Amino acid sequence: MDKEKLIKLAEDLYQSAFDANAYYAIMMQYREMSKKYNDEMNLSPAFYQVVYGALQKACFMEIAKLYDKTKDVVSVGLLLKYCRDNLDLFPEYRDIVTIKEEGREYSFQVPYQHHLKPTEECFYENEVKSQREILKLFDTPDFEKVPIQVNLTFSEFLGLYQKRFCSLSKKQENIRVQRNKIYAHNDDLFTDYEAQRKKQAEEEEKLERERRMQEAMENLFCMYHMMKMMECGNFYVEKHMKQTKQS
């Protein structure tokens, strides 16, 4: 994948995330305003319920799309995969600084700097513990809540986001289950329907096969009776002919 396609994929995902966030913000505004304008909203409750339900469903489906695990579907997982498969498109360091001193050149690699979120600290326990101890020595106020900064290469940065993505696996599964409950044409129900349809087709084919076997057996009995009747007819014809000759 080239750089332009990767950027386009990231932009599409960003737009989906932006839309989901916008829907959620409006929902929160609904809740806040419902207390202030309760009487006004009660004048047409059905309208506000329908709008709120539509916002809720739209927000949920945008989030479900972001974490969809269907193969080759545009999602956060697919973006991470493409980034991992195309590391050569990204600079490993944020910058490389070159300094000249006494006729000699010195180059320094400048890493990416990232402030860890509370949910990310579990991935860098040693760094967090070390920096917090230093902050404590300097009597830093609320040192336990101060964001910890780590230096990362791009590969390490990508690895952090992959860990964050994998840590949401249970929530992703919950989203998938809820999505399947909302829409009747979800993958699981479609799979179940296909399995039931296939089973029904097999049963119908089995019944048809048994019916044909029964018809074949009936035909055999009919042929057998016809042959017996022909034998009996031939026997009586021959007997009659003998009696005629004798008389």
Side-chain angles (χ1 to χ4, degrees):
M1 174 174 285
D2 56 33
K3 185 177 180 180
E4 286 71 22
K5 290 182 179 179
L6 197 58
I7 292 174
K8 180 65 169 60
L9 175 60
E11 289 175 345
D12 291 343
L13 290 172
Y14 175 81
Q15 185 60 49
S16 293
F18 181 86
D19 291 342
N21 188 65
Y23 296 142
Y24 182 76
I26 298 173
M27 288 165 58
M28 294 301 99
Q29 190 177 33
Y30 255 71
R31 289 189 176 184
E32 184 180 349
M33 292 297 103
S34 64
K35 300 175 183 177
K36 186 176 180 180
Y37 299 101
N38 185 57
D39 293 337
E40 290 80 357
M41 294 178 72
N42 283 334
L43 292 175
S44 53
F47 170 78
Y48 289 104
Q49 288 177 4
V50 170
V51 173
Y52 186 84
L55 286 168
Q56 192 176 39
K57 189 171 291 185
C59 177
F60 186 84
M61 293 311 299
E62 288 295 340
I63 295 173
K65 283 163 54 180
L66 288 171
Y67 293 99
D68 196 339
K69 292 185 177 181
T70 306
K71 186 178 180 181
D72 295 332
V73 170
V74 176
S75 64
V76 175
L78 186 68
L79 176 63
L80 291 173
K81 177 182 180 299
Y82 284 157
C83 289
R84 186 175 64 249
D85 295 342
N86 297 274
L87 288 175
D88 56 313
L89 295 176
F90 304 93
E92 186 69 2
Y93 294 90
R94 184 168 65 88
D95 196 8
I96 296 179
V97 178
T98 302
I99 300 174
K100 289 185 179 181
E101 183 69 26
E102 296 180 356
R104 300 182 65 181
E105 288 188 354
Y106 300 91
S107 295
F108 301 92
Q109 297 169 327
V110 181
Y112 296 93
Q113 295 176 325
H114 176 67
H115 286 93
L116 297 175
K117 295 179 174 58
T119 54
E120 297 173 341
E121 291 184 1
C122 60
F123 304 126
Y124 299 90
E125 292 181 354
N126 293 334
E127 290 87 340
V128 171
K129 183 179 179 181
S130 176
Q131 292 191 40
R132 287 268 158 79
E133 288 178 352
I134 294 174
L135 292 171
K136 184 178 180 181
L137 288 174
F138 284 93
D139 296 325
T140 304
D142 296 328
F143 70 92
E144 292 182 347
K145 298 181 180 179
V146 175
I148 301 300
Q149 178 179 290
V150 292
N151 297 326
L152 304 171
T153 62
F154 179 80
S155 299
E156 293 170 338
F157 215 149
L158 180 61
L160 169 61
Y161 277 93
Q162 287 175 324
K163 289 177 183 177
R164 286 182 57 184
F165 182 76
C166 292
S167 69
L168 297 172
S169 59
K170 290 184 178 180
K171 293 182 179 179
Q172 293 173 34
E173 178 61 20
N174 290 337
I175 289 173
R176 187 189 69 82
V177 171
Q178 291 300 320
R179 179 201 65 182
N180 292 347
K181 289 181 179 180
I182 291 175
Y183 283 91
H185 61 268
N186 61 76
D187 298 336
D188 284 346
L189 288 178
F190 180 76
T191 301
D192 291 342
Y193 168 77
E194 285 295 307
Q196 291 174 4
R197 189 185 63 80
K198 184 178 180 181
K199 184 178 180 181
Q200 183 179 358
E202 290 176 351
E203 290 178 351
E204 290 177 354
E205 184 179 355
K206 182 180 178 181
L207 290 173
E208 179 65 17
R209 188 164 56 247
E210 291 177 353
R211 186 183 66 79
R212 290 178 179 177
M213 289 177 64
Q214 186 176 2
E215 288 180 354
M217 292 295 293
E218 289 177 355
N219 289 334
L220 286 173
F221 282 122
C222 288
M223 290 177 65
Y224 175 77
H225 286 300
M226 287 178 64
M227 289 174 66
K228 285 296 182 182
M229 288 175 65
M230 289 176 66
E231 288 180 3
C232 289
N234 290 337
F235 170 78
Y236 285 112
V237 169
E238 291 177 358
K239 183 177 181 182
H240 178 71
M241 290 178 66
K242 285 180 179 179
Q243 290 177 351
T244 303
K245 287 180 180 179
Q246 289 178 356
S247 55

